[in-house]
Amino acid sequence: MHLIEPLVLAEICGLRLAGLGGIIGHRAALEQLPETLVFCGHSHWELPYTTLSNGTQIMNADGKAFILLPA
């Protein structure tokens, strides 16, 4: 079983090409890491999630709550 380490950021990386706001420098750093699950906020996105080219999944809370349950 492959475990993915979660990461919590106050503000998320900028994904300007996808039309999603945030801090651009964070994206470059996250793409250098192994596949990660990122929770963040402070930027409104139409969809609350996206996936980077390295498989990192970003969940943007922005006024929402995520409830995670074991598989």
Side-chain angles (χ1 to χ4, degrees), residues 29-48:
L30 288 172
E31 288 180 326
Q32 298 302 310
L33 297 173
E35 185 178 354
T36 306
L37 177 59
V38 179
F39 296 93
C40 64
H42 297 295
S43 293
H44 175 74
W45 297 353
E46 287 297 317
L47 291 175

Side-chain angles (χ1 to χ4, degrees), residues 7-53:
L7 175 65
V8 177
L9 297 174
E11 256 186 281
I12 192 47
C13 58
L15 300 168
R16 303 255 185 254
L17 295 176
L20 305 173
I23 299 172
I24 293 173
H26 287 176
R27 178 182 182 167
L30 288 172
E31 288 180 326
Q32 298 302 310
L33 297 173
E35 185 178 354
T36 306
L37 177 59
V38 179
F39 296 93
C40 64
H42 297 295
S43 293
H44 175 74
W45 297 353
E46 287 297 317
L47 291 175
Y49 60 88
T50 193
T51 303
L52 299 180
S53 61

Side-chain angles (χ1 to χ4, degrees), residues 39-41 48 59-69:
F39 296 93
C40 64
M59 306 291 290
N60 185 355
D62 187 40
K64 301 167 198 69
F66 298 111
I67 298 173
L68 304 176
L69 303 171

Side-chain angles (χ1 to χ4, degrees), residues 1-5 35 69-71:
M1 181 159 115
H2 175 69
L3 295 177
I4 296 175
E5 294 289 329
E35 185 178 354
L69 303 171

